[in-house]
Amino acid sequence: MPHTPTPPYTSPARLLALGMVVLAMLWATLTLAQTPGDTAATVAVETAPAPQPPLPATGIRAYDAPNDGGHAITVEWTASGDDGQGRNNVVMYRVLRTPALRGPISPDSVPPGDPSYRLFDSRAYGTAAWRFIENQWDTLADVPMGSTRYENRGGKQRASNDFLPDHIEFRYKVLTINDAGGIAESEVSAPASASGQYLHTGKLLHIGIPVVIFLALVLYFINAAKSGRELYIRPLAGINAVDEAIGRATEMNRPILYVLGLGAADEIATIASLTILSRVTKKVAEHRTELLVPCYDAVVMSIAQETVKQAYLDAGRPDEYKDDIVYFVTQEQFAYVAAVNGTMLRRQTATNFYLGVFFAESLILAETGSIAGSIQISGTDRTTQIPFFVVACDYTLIGEELFAASAYLSREPKLLGTLKAQDYAKAIFLGVLIAGCVGAALQWQWIARTFHLSF
Amino acid sequence: MNFFEKMFAIDRRWVYLTLFVAVVVSLLLDFSIPVPISKEARNIYNYIEGLNAGDAIHLALDYDPSVSAELDPMTLSVLKQCFTKDIKVIITALHQFGPALAAERIDTAVARHAALTGEKKINGVDFVYLGYKPYPVLIILGMGQNYRIPFPRDYYGVSLDSLPMMANIRNYSDVKAVINISGTSATDWWISYGNGRYGVPLAIGVTGVMATEYYPYLQTDQIFGLLGGLKGAAEYEMLVNTPGPAVEGMKVQIVAHAIIILFIVIGNVGFFAMRRSEKRKA
Amino acid sequence: MKRQLPLAIIFLCGAFTLFQYFIPHEQSEYLYEFVALDWPPIIGVFALMLGIFSLIRVSWGKIRRKSENWPYAIVTLIGLAGMIATGLPGIGDHNAPAVRWQFNYIVYPVSATMFSILSFFIASAAYRAFRARSFLATVLLVSAVIVMIRFFPLGPLTDPVGTTADWVLNVPNLAAKRAIVIGVGLGIVATALKIVLGIERSYMGRD
């Protein structure tokens, strides 16, 4: 078989074919050289009409989020004309951010091999990361239709992914997206930067001013009481019964049990209970009755030991004080309950005080005391436990009565003065509540705005 | 003492005995109770259903064994839903007697999911268990800054930075919600600090005794859902389509309530009869 | 000095916390979260040692004096020593099988039993408390029964009873609770102010 020579590459047919291939490659190269977005757009145009964009959000503005520790910028805009009106087909807004470069840009911030964008040199501001890219719009969040506000709250740690530095300017824009996938871009906001504030104006208005008013009332009534003005306070059965309960224990020659509750030392109810313990101990010391104070919290135990010791000293009976009066049991809720219940039943305590913070153990303690036949005086600020105490105890101090008990027991003018101040503060509260109710009924928005908590 | 006087003053031990017998008998009998789903429970279910696969939630299990009968079914149901939906879960246990209990419940949920679907959920990838640290307020505040501040390592001693799931999770802003299942006042701290200070969406599951205390927070939107006691647990079991001990326990609860109502009626009949006879005597 | 120094410390700490609340700046938050809040665990750990010491002293005293039911004190001390010993690093740790065993077979069942006693006490307390002695007591009684029967399958009455129970829980119940909570809130502020300003010092054992 003879060897068939291959046709020469320079034949006209070959050249034509080669030319067509080169043209095809050139066309493909040019097409592919376009950005992917452009390609998609081209294809979309060919296959289906582009979704009609909604009306854009307008009036975009960014500003430092008020009353915070920094690292947050608030973005606000006016809703699109198609959001809740017009074509009413907006589904969400997308918030985007880019750094507004005004600071120094380091030459070495250009990533090698890619001159198309530059990194924002956050190191110039003492931060560690290279993160903010000039002219790159980062998507921050999608917020649902109807929204006109987004808070860009970033991380505070420099190493964190969403770190938002203070005192560096950013610009924002908002994309409005409708149900057909149409997107409309807003204007770009003026630059804004985050910073921390040294005074929370919202808290000052809603908490600072009321506290100052309350403090003024307290000081006024303390002075009034000191100057001899008679302050009437409603008698409390639970407080009046304290003397009787201690007297009963003395007559029966049985101990008194004082439970400070399960609260830690930083709970005001526990502190209130410690103040009552001090006054009860003085009376107990005078009557020479035995006192038992089993504790749940070791810190509370330490304070209670000092309180009781000092009360014995003040009552003039330091010799009666023993270290075993106040003792630690355990920091496990139901083990503590078991221990206290055991003490009640074995020692047949004549009087039980439960004053402080209580949880599910309240009824278990009070029912056991009731079975043991003790007189029981309870008090807590836990609203859930109050009904249990009311049912099973002889006397219950409800909520704030626990805090008032110390003043009742001492009858000191300065303490009674604060009680009176509390009453007036409550009257002011009541007035505000009624105004709020009336305002809500009559749709007086300014009342709602005045008392709207801005934190 | 006549019959009515006896009705008026039944020895409390009879009450205990009757309740005990009723509870045991209702456990032995085979009957079922319909469990209507409340809005508060459905809100939690819908919220988790609305999340995407790969999203993370924080499940704070702040309870000890004394309340596990009420709260365990909530924990297992929420874990089941998250595992089914491929939602990542960060778990903490801020009660000193809770960590071992929580570890066991996680193991149970993983085993159940594996038995049901054949898929083994992996610690560090699908869930992370951080365990316990004392002083819940400080821990909740610390996690608000960064989970790594209070928990540089997880319960099993592995560095958080080496766990794949934690790569993009820094603090509450990276989780979609905190579900706090609690028998302690830790719930108050989650409301004050988790939601109040850091603004993380919060839902709670608490014991029946605690539930009424937290309804106001529901009205003020500080929590978006609430599971109250065994009833709440039973509702969630029904929602995730796995009726279990809570639904079973509803039988006992209803019988116990019926017994209590019966005693209230007996007490009142005795009371009125006594009052009538006293009036007659007068 | 012994009297003034603690009061000065209390005033300074109270004033710092109060003013810090109104300063949202990062440095103020940092001071609060990382400095002020670091103290409680430190104090707590040392106080816990005092607590354990107190428990040992009281229990040992009972054993030494052979006071009533003294053998229980031995059980307490054995429990304390056993749990600490098995949980100590080197001997075991919080995940050691011995610690888990003590939790699973002693602490857990005993705790659950104590909590479940509550249901018996609730039944007995309800029997004694819910008597229609007066108009208000009757309102309380009726409300309690409605709330309790809301889970019952009552046929056509299920929905109305459920709605009524929800109303009772969400309207009168919450109204009363809010009133108590407002009172408690004011009481807390008043007590805190009294303590910070040194008006109330009886918790220190002094007037």
Side-chain angles (χ1 to χ4, degrees), chain A residues 156 200 307 314 346 367 406, chain C residues 22 29 69 128 200 203 205:
Chain A
K156 294 179 180 179
H200 194 300
T307 305
D314 287 359
R346 283 195 298 271
E367 271 287 293
S406 176
Chain C
F22 294 101
E29 278 182 16
N69 298 307
R128 283 182 288 117
E200 171 71 85
Y203 64 97

Side-chain angles (χ1 to χ4, degrees), chain B residues 43-115:
Chain B
N43 281 353
I44 302 178
Y45 179 80
N46 288 348
Y47 188 93
I48 297 178
E49 279 299 296
L51 299 179
N52 299 318
D55 284 347
I57 67 156
H58 181 139
L59 185 62
L61 305 177
D62 304 330
Y63 65 93
D64 68 346
S66 60
V67 292
S68 62
E70 282 180 285
L71 303 183
D72 273 351
M74 297 181 194
T75 302
L76 293 172
S77 302
V78 171
L79 280 174
K80 185 199 169 192
Q81 189 187 9
C82 292
F83 286 168
T84 311
K85 289 274 305 171
D86 263 338
I87 287 161
K88 315 273 183 203
V89 193
I90 298 171
I91 303 151
T92 50
L94 300 183
H95 187 290
Q96 67 261 42
F97 290 150
L101 178 91
E104 282 171 17
R105 298 305 173 264
I106 297 164
D107 292 346
T108 308
V110 170
R112 283 187 189 174
H113 183 77

Side-chain angles (χ1 to χ4, degrees), chain A residues 159-208:
Chain A
S160 64
N161 292 331
D162 63 344
F163 175 60
L164 181 67
D166 280 346
H167 312 301
I168 288 181
E169 291 185 325
F170 291 92
R171 291 172 189 274
Y172 291 81
K173 67 180 174 185
V174 174
L175 305 184
T176 309
I177 302 171
N178 66 16
D179 55 6
I183 298 173
E185 203 171 301
S186 71
E187 300 281 307
V188 177
S189 74
S193 62
S195 64
Q197 280 76 50
Y198 284 99
L199 186 64
H200 194 300
T201 50
K203 283 182 179 175
L204 189 71
L205 180 70
H206 292 109
I207 296 184

Side-chain angles (χ1 to χ4, degrees), chain A residues 225 231 279 282 406-418, chain C residues 199-202 206-207:
Chain A
L231 297 176
R279 305 199 186 282
K282 274 181 202 156
S406 176
Y408 271 89
L409 285 168
S410 72
R411 312 296 296 187
E412 273 184 54
K414 56 186 182 182
L415 293 179
L416 292 179
T418 55
Chain C
I199 297 168
E200 171 71 85
R201 347 175 151 175
S202 52
R206 302 183 180 99
D207 285 330

Side-chain angles (χ1 to χ4, degrees), chain A residues 39-344:
Chain A
T39 313
T42 312
V43 172
V45 166
E46 283 170 1
T47 53
Q52 188 164 12
L55 291 170
T58 52
I60 179 160
R61 66 189 193 101
Y63 55 91
D64 175 32
N67 294 324
D68 68 354
H71 307 285
I73 296 173
T74 305
V75 187
E76 280 185 345
W77 59 91
T78 307
S80 153
D82 290 334
D83 182 1
Q85 51 183 322
R87 284 194 292 271
N88 197 15
N89 61 352
V90 169
V91 286
M92 62 178 180
Y93 297 97
R94 181 164 292 162
V95 185
L96 295 97
R97 180 188 71 193
T98 193
L101 293 185
R102 284 193 177 177
I105 295 163
S106 160
D108 62 359
S109 63
V110 180
D114 190 355
S116 61
Y117 62 89
R118 288 184 298 177
L119 291 181
F120 175 62
D121 184 3
S122 51
R123 279 189 303 188
Y125 296 90
T127 61
W130 295 73
R131 185 169 301 111
F132 305 107
I133 302 167
E134 185 187 0
N135 291 330
Q136 176 177 301
W137 287 92
D138 294 326
T139 300
L140 296 175
D142 290 337
V143 292
M145 59 181 185
S147 312
T148 55
R149 189 172 182 276
Y150 171 72
E151 193 167 277
N152 177 202
R153 188 160 287 281
K156 294 179 180 179
Q157 313 283 332
R158 285 172 179 172
S160 64
N161 292 331
D162 63 344
F163 175 60
L164 181 67
D166 280 346
H167 312 301
I168 288 181
E169 291 185 325
F170 291 92
R171 291 172 189 274
Y172 291 81
K173 67 180 174 185
V174 174
L175 305 184
T176 309
I177 302 171
N178 66 16
D179 55 6
I183 298 173
E185 203 171 301
S186 71
E187 300 281 307
V188 177
S189 74
S193 62
S195 64
Q197 280 76 50
Y198 284 99
L199 186 64
H200 194 300
T201 50
K203 283 182 179 175
L204 189 71
L205 180 70
H206 292 109
I207 296 184
I209 293 175
V211 166
V212 170
I213 292 173
F214 186 52
L215 196 61
L217 282 171
V218 168
L219 295 177
Y220 171 77
F221 281 105
I222 287 175
N223 275 332
K226 273 185 183 167
S227 61
R229 188 170 140 192
E230 193 66 30
L231 297 176
Y232 173 77
I233 51 169
R234 180 174 60 86
L236 284 179
I239 299 296
N240 295 342
V242 168
D243 283 337
E244 175 202 334
I246 297 171
R248 180 173 180 261
T250 312
E251 281 168 23
M252 296 171 82
N253 197 23
R254 273 157 47 177
I256 290 171
L257 178 76
Y258 194 104
V259 180
L260 286 155
L262 266 58
D266 59 351
E267 304 231 26
I268 295 289
T270 309
I271 298 174
S273 182
L274 284 164
T275 64
I276 303 169
L277 172 65
S278 166
R279 305 199 186 282
V280 167
T281 306
K282 274 181 202 156
K283 291 180 198 286
V284 166
E286 284 160 13
H287 286 76
R288 299 195 168 188
T289 315
E290 188 182 358
L291 178 68
L292 301 168
V293 189
C295 293
Y296 171 84
D297 186 288
V299 180
V300 174
M301 181 207 74
S302 305
I303 303 170
Q305 277 180 337
E306 281 302 307
T307 305
V308 169
K309 198 175 187 174
Q310 188 66 39
Y312 269 92
L313 199 67
D314 287 359
R317 302 207 192 276
D319 50 315
E320 298 273 320
Y321 174 76
K322 290 193 292 281
D323 282 342
D324 294 356
I325 293 174
V326 183
Y327 56 98
F328 178 73
V329 180
T330 169
Q331 207 153 359
E332 207 284 325
Q333 183 182 18
F334 290 106
Y336 176 77
V337 174
V340 174
N341 280 358
T343 305
M344 272 184 225

Side-chain angles (χ1 to χ4, degrees), chain A residues 359-362 383-385 388, chain B residues 67 70 206-214 228-230, chain C residues 115 118 122 177:
Chain A
F359 301 98
E361 71 286 349
S362 60
T383 51
T384 320
Q385 307 305 330
F388 292 140
Chain B
V67 292
E70 282 180 285
V206 292
T207 61
V209 176
M210 291 164 70
T212 52
E213 190 162 346
Y214 294 101
L230 201 65
Chain C
F115 183 59
L118 187 60
I122 285 177
K177 278 200 165 158

Side-chain angles (χ1 to χ4, degrees), chain B residues 11-268:
Chain B
D11 189 309
R12 69 182 90 210
R13 284 168 295 188
W14 286 111
V15 180
Y16 302 157
L17 183 67
T18 314
L19 192 66
F20 176 73
V21 171
V23 164
V24 172
V25 169
S26 62
L27 273 174
L28 296 175
L29 291 179
D30 186 23
F31 66 101
S32 66
I33 299 291
V35 182
I37 310 294
S38 65
K39 194 167 140 264
E40 303 89 73
R42 193 175 287 284
N43 281 353
I44 302 178
Y45 179 80
N46 288 348
Y47 188 93
I48 297 178
E49 279 299 296
L51 299 179
N52 299 318
D55 284 347
I57 67 156
H58 181 139
L59 185 62
L61 305 177
D62 304 330
Y63 65 93
D64 68 346
S66 60
V67 292
S68 62
E70 282 180 285
L71 303 183
D72 273 351
M74 297 181 194
T75 302
L76 293 172
S77 302
V78 171
L79 280 174
K80 185 199 169 192
Q81 189 187 9
C82 292
F83 286 168
T84 311
K85 289 274 305 171
D86 263 338
I87 287 161
K88 315 273 183 203
V89 193
I90 298 171
I91 303 151
T92 50
L94 300 183
H95 187 290
Q96 67 261 42
F97 290 150
L101 178 91
E104 282 171 17
R105 298 305 173 264
I106 297 164
D107 292 346
T108 308
V110 170
R112 283 187 189 174
H113 183 77
L116 206 66
T117 63
E119 181 202 16
K120 174 107 173 72
K121 291 287 177 185
I122 299 163
N123 182 26
V125 177
D126 302 301
F127 65 90
V128 169
Y129 178 40
L130 302 179
Y132 168 78
K133 280 280 169 77
Y135 292 92
V137 177
L138 309 187
I139 304 305
I140 292 167
L141 281 169
M143 290 190 294
Q145 295 283 332
N146 193 327
Y147 279 106
R148 288 153 190 83
I149 294 173
F151 294 106
R153 293 169 183 280
D154 75 355
Y155 181 69
Y156 307 100
V158 183
S159 164
L160 248 56
D161 287 324
S162 66
L163 297 173
M165 193 190 118
M166 295 304 287
N168 292 320
I169 296 177
R170 190 172 48 80
N171 56 27
Y172 301 141
S173 54
D174 302 316
V175 299
K176 297 291 176 187
V178 173
I179 314 286
N180 172 230
I181 296 178
S182 164
T184 69
S185 56
T187 308
D188 295 333
W189 311 130
W190 277 111
I191 293 171
S192 303
Y193 298 109
N195 176 268
R197 192 161 187 137
Y198 291 106
V200 65
L202 177 70
I204 60 170
V206 292
T207 61
V209 176
M210 291 164 70
T212 52
E213 190 162 346
Y214 294 101
Y215 272 95
Y217 298 107
L218 207 57
Q219 289 188 344
T220 54
D221 285 336
Q222 283 166 284
I223 52 174
F224 67 83
L226 189 155
L227 301 175
L230 201 65
K231 170 75 166 52
E235 288 173 29
Y236 221 81
E237 282 188 345
M238 296 303 287
L239 281 166
V240 297
N241 206 17
T242 315
V247 173
E248 183 74 8
M250 283 305 289
K251 295 193 317 191
V252 181
Q253 181 154 321
I254 283 197
V255 170
H257 279 183
I259 294 290
I260 293 173
I261 292 170
L262 180 73
F263 273 109
I264 291 173
V265 171
I266 291 173
N268 278 285

